[in-house]
Amino acid sequence: MTLKVDIKDKIKQNSSMFVNFIKNAITASPKVQNNFLEVTTKVAETALKIIKDADLIVDLNYKGKEFWSINRCKTSCFIDGGVDRTSIISSAPLSIRAGSYIVKPDATSKREFFEESMVFLGDLYDPKNELYDFVDDDFEEDQMLNKKKDGARIIFEAATIVKHILLNKKFDYCFLHGPLEATVMPFTVAGFPTFTKFAVENMFPFISKNSSVEARHFINAYLEALNYIKKSKFPIYGIVETSNSAPYIKNLLFNYKIKGTISDKDYNSVIKTIKKYKITDSHILEIILSSGQALKPLEVKKQLAGFTVTSGSAWEEKMDSFPKVFIGYIKTSDNQAPVRIESLNYPKHLIKDYEYILGTSRLLPNYGFPVGLNVVDKFAKIPNWMSKTSRKYYATHLLRQAIKNKDQNTVSLAVKILSKKSRSWKNRPIGGISK
Amino acid sequence: MSKFNNWKAIGTVLGETDINEYHFSLKNYKAKKGDIVTTASRLPSTDGTVIPVTVWGKISSIERFNAFFPAEAAQELTNEDIDIRDTILPTTKDELRCKVIILGYTEDGKEKISKLLPLNYPVMPAAIVKYPSSKDVEELFISDLDSSHPISIGNLLARKDVEIKIDGDNLISRHISVWGMSGSGKTVFVRRILTELLNLKYPSFVLDIHGDYLGFVQKQKKYFPDNKVKLFYPNLSVRAEDKEIVYTLIDKLGNTLTDPQRDFLNSLLEKIKYEGGSLLQYIKLLNVKAREFASSGSTSFKNVKPASMFVVARSLRIVSKKLENMEQTNARHRRKMSHLKFEELPDSATEPEKIISKGQMSILYLRGYENLPASAIVSIVLENLFRHRQEASEEIAPFFTVIEEAHNFIPSRSENKDDIPSVDTIRKVISEGRKFGTGVMIISQRPSRVDETIASQCNSQVVFRIVNQRDQRATTRDSETLSNDDAKQLPNLANGQGIISGQIVNYSLPVQIKFDEKLINDDIGNENFIDTVENWDDKESVKLRKKFAKDFADINEIDSRRAN
């Protein structure tokens, strides 16, 4: 009874739960709306019992002054990628970069470095392989463009980590803003272009120079990169602010089902409920964990096949070979949902590493997220003025090249690219033709 | 070959620019607020060609920020007593963003830096910003000032080696206001100006309330052997036409009068003519006459009863007593400085040349006088001197008047002292002075309390440290060239640092005024009152009084004892 009351109180104080409640109030049926609080409470109670049974909760220690006087000798690297917001129909995303913030507080000479770790000039995607993906549907066109941008950002971030490993950097910690292993399912769609040979060679020198075109596809290149990252000598963590799914809870339940502690029927039923009420790890763990508490990592399979896009596709098997990810959570502050910690290996020094993440997050008390990632996020972000400028330069360059070519079709193509939407293209002013 | 190429690059012009200002990103520690900077640009000329130019500007503000340092981190550092250098927070990502007010441009390819011309085409974004050499900045200022009588006042605040000169011709004809808190450097500046005017043999008339300028008298022989420095004490000479001033003085200094009593005073002033002479004597005469009329029950004043006449007589006695007291106070102060030669102020109506003369500085020492009598004195003297300049005969040379504590002589309308006699006089001198060569310098620590019309007619301004916000607003209100950025700097200025603007320099410049230490009045203490008390010993008369007081106290005590 006490546990129930306690969890109910926590739900009332919980901001992300409230947000979800509002979302449900808009989209869900009256029954779901009505039962949301009760169901969430019950799921949280059950999850807490299982978590306690599995002894997954750890208490972390943080005493500001003392913590930093001990950890001032550590070298940390924080990585984030940035993409511009303008869009041009092209396979080559403009203005993309990944930055690193490397800091060693007690360094005798230079204590901190801001590094534009991955800057790539040239065609990222291969022009010979579906360079300009004109489709009639604007929506699909945008979807593909966004996927290319996401793919480029993810590969840049991975390449940055790879670069640091290749350069044999002596980091005590390396943190990536976002999941360490992204879900690759969106890139399995037909027509997603491959990277250029030059790009792959530059980003991942360990990939054979004579590899096939297929090897330069996002999924293959990313898999190679992850396998390389997994072998790193220093610990690498991906930190995710809010979890929109429930991989931890679902895997925990799955493990208990495998052990036979939960029946298949109960497992299926609770998974169905979680989906129905859109309950995420963040919601459940925010009310289960107290500030300064963490959950030990669980090994989770991230790349799940079986969706329409991947079912039967050539990538289905490949997705199976992606490394599993260790997922843990830390509640860094009273006001925020726990942050998700991803790693490709089980942490060798779990408590110390998690305490370090907690310590760096306490420097951002309201946001509850490692401050180094906040710093590198600002550094890597591509501001609007830079996006606009790069678009202007790109447009000028493209048109100049097209006009130099003197081929009418090439000029039309260039204008079409700059028009972005096919409707704008159709309605373009055409000299000398009256409609 | 442009001089631009030889100067050090210190930054890059940012984003959008216009013809009045631009922003640039500054290299760490390469320039300060108030510094003069340049950037190369190209302009369309009148003949349609494009010409290379150097655009000159003044850094009006500098912002320093670390965009990578989250504000909430500061909260944690403070609460937990953490040293930022122990943490992973960035400490080296400071950015400096400067705002530059464009002063104008000079054409490239000329051997000497020419006069600044107004910019009519925006500065190039992403252009390099350079730090011109001190020699070139000085050359620009001199060439731009284009003055036949430049007066050195100090150096550019941001650069010690750039001497700042102002235009002497504009100074003495166009009027100047000097604002600043007590001890901020106003007197230092005025001394500088007066020194230069003495060197130019230009006559000046200084209304000195506190004796700040007596140093000129003390050191005249040593430093100004070719000049005369006269020190006067007030002697109020009145003429028939000063009736209004006398009336105001009696009305304000004496008892409050009723309407019939005022009528009697007015009639008395009409009846008792006084052809020149001391004001005090005149008031005494009025007092005697008022008593006579009251005693004799005179009927020559309609509807005025003898009782009312007695009230006016009493009021006149009070006024004459007050004037006597003020005269005595002034005399006591003068006696303290017996080594200085004080002269009675000559009659400005009949002997103006004794006050204003080529190469002479005349100081009117007003210490001890209340505002109203001092205002009356100033009004009468200035009115007469101005009249002598106005008249075709031009009996006196052009001169420069320095009015200390101007809020006492030309109070703002909000002070409700509009009828103070000197307001109209100074307003007239200021508005017509340019034609007749009677420039005025008004000095005050409370610019918000100074008459707005008069202040706004001062074409140049020097502002020293001001903390009071009303006074800060008043400085920008009265000036056309002082910007809000300049006003923000006012509370932070140190002693002797001021912002000079207006026609004497063409644009506002932060300046360190040259301190003429040699001209300090040795008789004025250094305000070290604690030392004074430490060394204090009562005068003999006080000691005696204390001794007698004790004797009397003993007597009283014995007297009050009970029997037994």
Side-chain angles (χ1 to χ4, degrees), chain A residues 58 82 86 95 127 147 161 163 225 230 254 267 271 292 321 331 355 414:
Chain A
V58 283
T86 57
S95 314
K147 277 179 189 170
I161 302 175
K163 186 181 165 188
K230 194 174 161 66
F254 181 75
Y267 171 77
I271 293 294
S321 54
K331 187 154 167 69
E355 277 177 351

PDB file of all heavy atoms in Angstrom, chain A residues 58 82 86 95 127 147 161 163 225 230 254 267 271 292 321 331 355 414:
ATOM      1  N   VAL A  58      21.515   1.020  -8.238  1.00  0.00           N
ATOM      2  CA  VAL A  58      22.752   1.350  -7.507  1.00  0.00           C
ATOM      3  C   VAL A  58      22.676   2.808  -7.048  1.00  0.00           C
ATOM      4  O   VAL A  58      22.138   3.657  -7.759  1.00  0.00           O
ATOM      5  CB  VAL A  58      24.031   1.159  -8.348  1.00  0.00           C
ATOM      6  CG1 VAL A  58      24.404  -0.287  -8.468  1.00  0.00           C
ATOM      7  CG2 VAL A  58      23.903   1.800  -9.711  1.00  0.00           C
ATOM      8  N   GLY A  82      26.328  18.255 -36.032  1.00  0.00           N
ATOM      9  CA  GLY A  82      25.386  19.334 -36.362  1.00  0.00           C
ATOM     10  C   GLY A  82      25.105  19.343 -37.851  1.00  0.00           C
ATOM     11  O   GLY A  82      25.996  19.121 -38.666  1.00  0.00           O
ATOM     12  N   THR A  86      18.585  24.191 -43.741  1.00  0.00           N
ATOM     13  CA  THR A  86      18.058  24.473 -45.072  1.00  0.00           C
ATOM     14  C   THR A  86      18.036  23.175 -45.879  1.00  0.00           C
ATOM     15  O   THR A  86      18.759  22.228 -45.586  1.00  0.00           O
ATOM     16  CB  THR A  86      18.953  25.467 -45.825  1.00  0.00           C
ATOM     17  OG1 THR A  86      20.256  24.925 -45.887  1.00  0.00           O
ATOM     18  CG2 THR A  86      18.974  26.812 -45.157  1.00  0.00           C
ATOM     19  N   SER A  95      26.610  21.681 -45.199  1.00  0.00           N
ATOM     20  CA  SER A  95      26.938  22.126 -43.849  1.00  0.00           C
ATOM     21  C   SER A  95      26.672  21.056 -42.800  1.00  0.00           C
ATOM     22  O   SER A  95      25.680  21.101 -42.081  1.00  0.00           O
ATOM     23  CB  SER A  95      26.136  23.370 -43.485  1.00  0.00           C
ATOM     24  OG  SER A  95      26.176  24.280 -44.513  1.00  0.00           O
ATOM     25  N   PRO A 127      27.357  10.189 -56.380  1.00  0.00           N
ATOM     26  CA  PRO A 127      26.492  10.710 -57.439  1.00  0.00           C
ATOM     27  C   PRO A 127      26.126   9.658 -58.479  1.00  0.00           C
ATOM     28  O   PRO A 127      25.112   9.777 -59.156  1.00  0.00           O
ATOM     29  CB  PRO A 127      27.319  11.829 -58.074  1.00  0.00           C
ATOM     30  CG  PRO A 127      28.581  11.921 -57.310  1.00  0.00           C
ATOM     31  CD  PRO A 127      28.693  10.744 -56.429  1.00  0.00           C
ATOM     32  N   LYS A 147      16.334  11.592 -44.175  1.00  0.00           N
ATOM     33  CA  LYS A 147      17.074  10.353 -43.873  1.00  0.00           C
ATOM     34  C   LYS A 147      18.535  10.519 -44.247  1.00  0.00           C
ATOM     35  O   LYS A 147      19.427  10.080 -43.527  1.00  0.00           O
ATOM     36  CB  LYS A 147      16.463   9.179 -44.659  1.00  0.00           C
ATOM     37  CG  LYS A 147      15.258   8.586 -43.967  1.00  0.00           C
ATOM     38  CD  LYS A 147      14.668   7.477 -44.761  1.00  0.00           C
ATOM     39  CE  LYS A 147      13.345   7.073 -44.119  1.00  0.00           C
ATOM     40  NZ  LYS A 147      12.595   6.165 -44.937  1.00  0.00           N
ATOM     41  N   ILE A 161      34.386   9.323 -33.505  1.00  0.00           N
ATOM     42  CA  ILE A 161      34.872   8.409 -32.455  1.00  0.00           C
ATOM     43  C   ILE A 161      35.998   7.547 -33.034  1.00  0.00           C
ATOM     44  O   ILE A 161      37.050   7.363 -32.411  1.00  0.00           O
ATOM     45  CB  ILE A 161      33.724   7.515 -31.922  1.00  0.00           C
ATOM     46  CG1 ILE A 161      32.585   8.375 -31.376  1.00  0.00           C
ATOM     47  CG2 ILE A 161      34.237   6.571 -30.845  1.00  0.00           C
ATOM     48  CD1 ILE A 161      31.357   7.585 -30.932  1.00  0.00           C
ATOM     49  N   LYS A 163      37.963   8.229 -35.434  1.00  0.00           N
ATOM     50  CA  LYS A 163      39.167   9.045 -35.628  1.00  0.00           C
ATOM     51  C   LYS A 163      39.974   9.138 -34.325  1.00  0.00           C
ATOM     52  O   LYS A 163      41.199   9.005 -34.317  1.00  0.00           O
ATOM     53  CB  LYS A 163      38.750  10.443 -36.088  1.00  0.00           C
ATOM     54  CG  LYS A 163      39.903  11.341 -36.450  1.00  0.00           C
ATOM     55  CD  LYS A 163      39.382  12.700 -36.867  1.00  0.00           C
ATOM     56  CE  LYS A 163      40.489  13.726 -36.881  1.00  0.00           C
ATOM     57  NZ  LYS A 163      39.983  15.076 -37.093  1.00  0.00           N
ATOM     58  N   ALA A 225      32.009   0.485 -38.552  1.00  0.00           N
ATOM     59  CA  ALA A 225      32.431   1.522 -37.602  1.00  0.00           C
ATOM     60  C   ALA A 225      32.130   1.089 -36.171  1.00  0.00           C
ATOM     61  O   ALA A 225      32.984   1.208 -35.277  1.00  0.00           O
ATOM     62  CB  ALA A 225      31.735   2.831 -37.921  1.00  0.00           C
ATOM     63  N   LYS A 230      33.692  -0.729 -30.782  1.00  0.00           N
ATOM     64  CA  LYS A 230      33.536  -1.721 -29.690  1.00  0.00           C
ATOM     65  C   LYS A 230      34.899  -2.154 -29.144  1.00  0.00           C
ATOM     66  O   LYS A 230      35.026  -2.489 -27.973  1.00  0.00           O
ATOM     67  CB  LYS A 230      32.757  -2.935 -30.238  1.00  0.00           C
ATOM     68  CG  LYS A 230      32.224  -3.886 -29.199  1.00  0.00           C
ATOM     69  CD  LYS A 230      31.358  -4.943 -29.863  1.00  0.00           C
ATOM     70  CE  LYS A 230      31.160  -6.170 -29.012  1.00  0.00           C
ATOM     71  NZ  LYS A 230      30.410  -5.971 -27.791  1.00  0.00           N
ATOM     72  N   PHE A 254      11.424  -9.324 -20.735  1.00  0.00           N
ATOM     73  CA  PHE A 254      11.745 -10.436 -21.632  1.00  0.00           C
ATOM     74  C   PHE A 254      12.681 -11.426 -20.937  1.00  0.00           C
ATOM     75  O   PHE A 254      12.481 -12.638 -20.983  1.00  0.00           O
ATOM     76  CB  PHE A 254      12.392  -9.885 -22.907  1.00  0.00           C
ATOM     77  CG  PHE A 254      12.739 -10.917 -23.913  1.00  0.00           C
ATOM     78  CD1 PHE A 254      11.744 -11.528 -24.697  1.00  0.00           C
ATOM     79  CD2 PHE A 254      14.057 -11.341 -24.109  1.00  0.00           C
ATOM     80  CE1 PHE A 254      12.067 -12.494 -25.631  1.00  0.00           C
ATOM     81  CE2 PHE A 254      14.373 -12.315 -25.040  1.00  0.00           C
ATOM     82  CZ  PHE A 254      13.379 -12.886 -25.801  1.00  0.00           C
ATOM     83  N   TYR A 267       3.604 -11.671 -19.995  1.00  0.00           N
ATOM     84  CA  TYR A 267       4.581 -10.864 -20.725  1.00  0.00           C
ATOM     85  C   TYR A 267       3.904 -10.166 -21.920  1.00  0.00           C
ATOM     86  O   TYR A 267       4.001  -8.945 -22.097  1.00  0.00           O
ATOM     87  CB  TYR A 267       5.741 -11.740 -21.208  1.00  0.00           C
ATOM     88  CG  TYR A 267       6.678 -11.033 -22.161  1.00  0.00           C
ATOM     89  CD1 TYR A 267       7.619 -10.116 -21.684  1.00  0.00           C
ATOM     90  CD2 TYR A 267       6.600 -11.256 -23.542  1.00  0.00           C
ATOM     91  CE1 TYR A 267       8.463  -9.448 -22.558  1.00  0.00           C
ATOM     92  CE2 TYR A 267       7.438 -10.588 -24.420  1.00  0.00           C
ATOM     93  CZ  TYR A 267       8.361  -9.695 -23.919  1.00  0.00           C
ATOM     94  OH  TYR A 267       9.189  -9.024 -24.779  1.00  0.00           O
ATOM     95  N   ILE A 271       3.321  -6.094 -22.363  1.00  0.00           N
ATOM     96  CA  ILE A 271       3.945  -5.417 -23.513  1.00  0.00           C
ATOM     97  C   ILE A 271       2.864  -4.689 -24.322  1.00  0.00           C
ATOM     98  O   ILE A 271       3.043  -3.532 -24.738  1.00  0.00           O
ATOM     99  CB  ILE A 271       4.712  -6.433 -24.400  1.00  0.00           C
ATOM    100  CG1 ILE A 271       5.925  -7.013 -23.672  1.00  0.00           C
ATOM    101  CG2 ILE A 271       5.142  -5.777 -25.732  1.00  0.00           C
ATOM    102  CD1 ILE A 271       7.054  -6.036 -23.360  1.00  0.00           C
ATOM    103  N   GLY A 292      20.321  10.634  -8.048  1.00  0.00           N
ATOM    104  CA  GLY A 292      21.582  10.014  -7.627  1.00  0.00           C
ATOM    105  C   GLY A 292      21.547   8.500  -7.703  1.00  0.00           C
ATOM    106  O   GLY A 292      22.528   7.850  -7.370  1.00  0.00           O
ATOM    107  N   SER A 321      23.437  -8.768 -37.347  1.00  0.00           N
ATOM    108  CA  SER A 321      24.847  -8.834 -36.960  1.00  0.00           C
ATOM    109  C   SER A 321      25.337  -7.576 -36.242  1.00  0.00           C
ATOM    110  O   SER A 321      26.505  -7.481 -35.883  1.00  0.00           O
ATOM    111  CB  SER A 321      25.711  -9.123 -38.191  1.00  0.00           C
ATOM    112  OG  SER A 321      25.443  -8.170 -39.186  1.00  0.00           O
ATOM    113  N   LYS A 331      19.438   8.718 -12.822  1.00  0.00           N
ATOM    114  CA  LYS A 331      18.594   9.884 -12.511  1.00  0.00           C
ATOM    115  C   LYS A 331      19.516  10.930 -11.905  1.00  0.00           C
ATOM    116  O   LYS A 331      19.976  10.799 -10.779  1.00  0.00           O
ATOM    117  CB  LYS A 331      17.450   9.500 -11.569  1.00  0.00           C
ATOM    118  CG  LYS A 331      16.469  10.636 -11.364  1.00  0.00           C
ATOM    119  CD  LYS A 331      15.094  10.103 -11.007  1.00  0.00           C
ATOM    120  CE  LYS A 331      14.179  11.211 -10.496  1.00  0.00           C
ATOM    121  NZ  LYS A 331      13.798  12.174 -11.520  1.00  0.00           N
ATOM    122  N   GLU A 355      29.196   7.527 -11.855  1.00  0.00           N
ATOM    123  CA  GLU A 355      29.363   8.679 -10.955  1.00  0.00           C
ATOM    124  C   GLU A 355      29.945   9.878 -11.710  1.00  0.00           C
ATOM    125  O   GLU A 355      29.605  11.028 -11.441  1.00  0.00           O
ATOM    126  CB  GLU A 355      30.261   8.305  -9.755  1.00  0.00           C
ATOM    127  CG  GLU A 355      29.473   7.602  -8.666  1.00  0.00           C
ATOM    128  CD  GLU A 355      30.317   7.151  -7.482  1.00  0.00           C
ATOM    129  OE1 GLU A 355      31.563   7.218  -7.545  1.00  0.00           O
ATOM    130  OE2 GLU A 355      29.705   6.712  -6.495  1.00  0.00           O
ATOM    131  N   ALA A 414      19.819  22.254 -62.588  1.00  0.00           N
ATOM    132  CA  ALA A 414      20.343  23.075 -61.485  1.00  0.00           C
ATOM    133  C   ALA A 414      19.231  23.933 -60.889  1.00  0.00           C
ATOM    134  O   ALA A 414      19.068  24.015 -59.663  1.00  0.00           O
ATOM    135  CB  ALA A 414      21.475  23.956 -61.987  1.00  0.00           C
TER     136      ALA A 414
END
